[in-house]
């Protein structure tokens, strides 16, 4: 009888453990799916709350990074086009997880949307050489920029990776997300900064 009772208890414990693991996996793998922060313009149904775009949204902080050739590049260089800024590093598992979707969407939309894949190049955990080698090995073609002075990360208060910001063509920060993005959420974020934003909101 005791053996049977022990078996039942172990079986119940196993079910609880498996269920808990499944919930934890779903939470971790979802990354930032529930954390996409839409811009205020999506809530401005009242004309009283829509005095001006400047009052509703924040201008995205400008910053300077370097490209693969060491040339300085600024966010403001791309004003006039919507921009997706993704902060990442090779040691970040969630960063690596979302990159294939960034690559796929970059290939589809790279002519209309600027992708700034900003590497957290602190020269301790990450170097330009390490990041460049990883990108080459994986065969990614999206533009990679190196934040060797930490200016970009500081400007956006980046304390964990990955983080993705969506900037509209006028240079306003419309929405952002912390954690790994699914393809659907990435497309939704891009929708907020392109002509399709009304249809996708």
């Amino acid at each position: 009888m005791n053996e049977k009772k022990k078996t039942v208890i172990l079986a119940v414990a196993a079910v609880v453990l498996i269920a808990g693991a499944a919930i934890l996996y779903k939470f971790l793998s979802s990354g930032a799916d529930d954390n996409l922060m839409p811009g205020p313009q999506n809530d401005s149904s009242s004309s009283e709350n829509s005095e001006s775009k400047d009052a509703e949204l924040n201008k995205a902080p400008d910053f300077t990074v370097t490209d693969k050739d060491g040339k300085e590049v600024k966010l403001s260089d791309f004003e006039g086009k919507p921009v997706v800024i993704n902060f990442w590093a090779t040691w970040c598992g969630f960063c690596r997880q979302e990159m294939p979707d960034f690559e796929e969407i970059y290939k589809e939309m790279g002519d209309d949307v600027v992708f700034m894949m900003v590497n957290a190049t602190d020269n301790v955990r990450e170097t330009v050489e390490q990041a460049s080698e990883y990108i080459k090995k994986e065969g990614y073609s999206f533009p990679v920029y190196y934040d060797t002075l930490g200016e970009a990360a500081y400007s956006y208060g980046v304390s964990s990776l990955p983080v993705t910001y969506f900037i509209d063509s006028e240079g306003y920060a419309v929405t952002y997300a912390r954690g790994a993005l699914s393809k659907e959420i990435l497309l939704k974020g891009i929708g907020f900064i392109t002509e399709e934003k009304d249809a996708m909101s």
Side-chain angles (χ1 to χ4, degrees):
M1 189 72 174
N2 282 342
E3 287 299 317
K4 190 173 182 182
K5 195 172 184 181
K6 283 182 184 177
T7 303
V8 171
I9 291 172
L10 286 173
V12 171
V15 169
V16 171
L17 186 63
I18 291 169
I23 291 169
L24 181 62
Y25 175 78
K26 184 176 180 183
F27 172 76
L28 291 175
S29 63
S30 66
D33 285 7
D34 296 327
N35 296 326
L36 189 65
M37 302 295 181
Q41 83 279 5
N42 296 309
D43 302 318
S44 58
S45 55
S46 168
S47 59
E48 295 176 6
N49 296 327
S50 56
E51 296 175 2
S52 71
K53 191 166 187 178
D54 289 59
E56 293 176 350
L57 298 176
N58 294 319
K59 269 286 190 179
D62 199 10
F63 58 79
T64 302
V65 287
T66 56
D67 65 14
K68 61 186 177 70
D69 299 316
K71 179 183 176 184
E72 289 190 348
V73 177
K74 293 184 178 182
L75 170 63
S76 55
D77 293 341
F78 302 109
E79 192 160 347
K81 274 196 165 188
V83 181
V84 176
I85 306 170
N86 177 261
F87 291 92
W88 68 280
T90 60
W91 48 260
C92 165
F94 285 129
C95 300
R96 297 194 303 270
Q97 174 185 309
E98 67 181 1
M99 279 193 163
D101 288 331
F102 273 88
E103 173 71 6
E104 181 181 343
I105 295 172
Y106 166 71
K107 286 181 175 178
E108 293 174 5
M109 308 180 73
D111 290 336
D112 302 312
V113 177
V114 174
F115 284 76
M116 293 189 75
M117 306 297 287
V118 179
N119 180 257
T121 321
D122 61 3
N123 291 311
V124 178
R125 298 179 74 184
E126 188 88 307
T127 65
V128 171
E129 292 73 25
Q130 287 173 322
S132 299
E133 184 60 32
Y134 174 77
I135 293 298
K136 182 179 179 181
K137 177 184 172 186
E138 297 298 321
Y140 293 135
S141 59
F142 46 59
V144 175
Y145 301 95
Y146 302 95
D147 190 21
T148 56
L149 300 178
E151 180 185 335
Y154 177 80
S155 297
Y156 285 77
V158 175
S159 58
S160 62
L161 299 174
V163 182
T164 305
Y165 285 86
F166 298 87
I167 315 299
D168 71 12
S169 59
E170 295 177 38
Y172 288 92
V174 174
T175 186
Y176 72 95
R178 299 184 186 280
L181 298 181
S182 66
K183 182 179 178 181
E184 291 72 25
I185 297 299
L186 178 54
L187 286 170
K188 185 175 182 180
I190 291 172
F192 285 136
I193 59 172
T194 61
E195 293 179 353
E196 294 81 20
K197 62 185 174 186
D198 293 331
M200 299 182 73
S201 60

